[in-house]
């Protein structure tokens, strides 16, 4: 890593730049679906729970819990709309990697995690391509209703996917 003084330093990038958690994790999820006519609904709960106290670098990501509930309506044979609420809570990173350091927010384990609740709207389209195949096109926009993040993290103003 290059320091502001132009010196090369032996260190790793921040926790958020690592390729994974480095631990074995339990990933349970439970989904409920229902429908009646043009109306559909559902809910899902899922988690990422670390099964180890630390990874090879001496830290572990905090457990992550997510829940979402949705209501959808079939507008036409190829188009539906969905409204849903999504909530998540994540614990801070436990312990620290001695090779991750510096004076910026991504290097502090206690600055990861927090809670968020979002409201989202989605349009789903199914386009027939012929020969029994379909393409699915979707657009989703969301806004946070509540955010309580650990440390000086960037809050989310809106999302579009």
């Amino acid at each position: 890593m290059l320091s502001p003084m132009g010196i090369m330093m032996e260190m790793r990038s921040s926790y958020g730049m690592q390729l994974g958690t480095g631990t074995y994790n339990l990933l349970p999820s439970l989904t409920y679906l229902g429908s009646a006519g043009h109306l559909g609904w559902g809910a899902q709960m899922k988690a990422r729970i670390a099964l180890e106290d630390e990874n090879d670098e001496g830290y572990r990501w905090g457990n992550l819990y997510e829940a979402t509930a949705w209501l959808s309506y079939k507008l036409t044979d190829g188009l539906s709309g969905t409204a849903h609420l999504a909530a998540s809570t994540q614990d801070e990173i436990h312990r620290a990697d001695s090779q991750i350091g510096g004076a910026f927010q991504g290097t502090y384990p206690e600055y990861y995690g927090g809670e968020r609740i979002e409201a989202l709207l989605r349009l789903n389209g199914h386009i027939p391509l012929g020969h029994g195949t379909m393409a699915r096109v979707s657009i989703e926009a969301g806004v946070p209703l509540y955010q309580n993040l650990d440390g000086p993290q960037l809050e989310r103003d809106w999302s579009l996917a």
Side-chain angles (χ1 to χ4, degrees):
M1 190 171 257
L2 185 62
S3 79
M5 302 300 288
I7 300 168
M8 293 299 290
M9 302 182 308
E10 283 293 318
M11 59 187 297
R12 277 189 274 280
S13 291
S14 65
Y15 296 98
M17 296 297 293
Q18 302 305 310
L19 294 178
T21 64
T23 57
Y24 287 100
N25 300 300
L26 178 64
L27 302 171
S29 69
L30 179 65
T31 304
Y32 169 77
L33 298 171
S35 65
H38 289 271
L39 196 61
W41 58 87
Q44 183 179 62
M45 294 183 303
K46 60 184 180 176
R48 184 193 69 225
I49 302 168
L51 298 177
E52 301 175 277
D53 287 336
E54 62 185 42
N55 60 22
D56 292 342
E57 316 314 336
Y59 71 95
R60 78 168 167 84
W61 280 87
N63 293 335
L64 171 65
Y65 304 94
E66 297 175 298
T68 185
W70 63 88
L71 189 61
S72 65
Y73 188 79
K74 182 178 176 181
L75 301 165
T76 68
D77 281 340
L79 186 65
S80 66
T82 304
H84 65 103
L85 290 175
S88 66
T89 181
Q90 183 172 358
D91 299 331
E92 67 184 33
I93 293 174
H94 300 273
R95 297 184 198 85
D97 181 341
S98 62
Q99 290 291 311
I100 296 177
F104 64 97
Q105 64 201 38
T107 63
Y108 294 95
E110 63 272 16
Y111 290 172
Y112 287 81
E115 294 85 33
R116 179 179 283 133
I117 299 173
E118 294 179 276
L120 302 111
L121 295 174
R122 177 186 305 153
L123 278 176
N124 294 306
H126 295 87
I127 303 166
L129 298 176
H131 307 296
T133 60
M134 290 265 209
R136 180 177 171 179
V137 179
S138 181
I139 186 166
E140 179 178 73
V143 295
L145 302 176
Y146 171 79
Q147 296 182 88
N148 182 16
L149 307 175
D150 296 342
Q153 297 180 42
L154 295 175
E155 289 187 342
R156 188 173 295 164
D157 289 333
W158 57 274
S159 63
L160 181 66

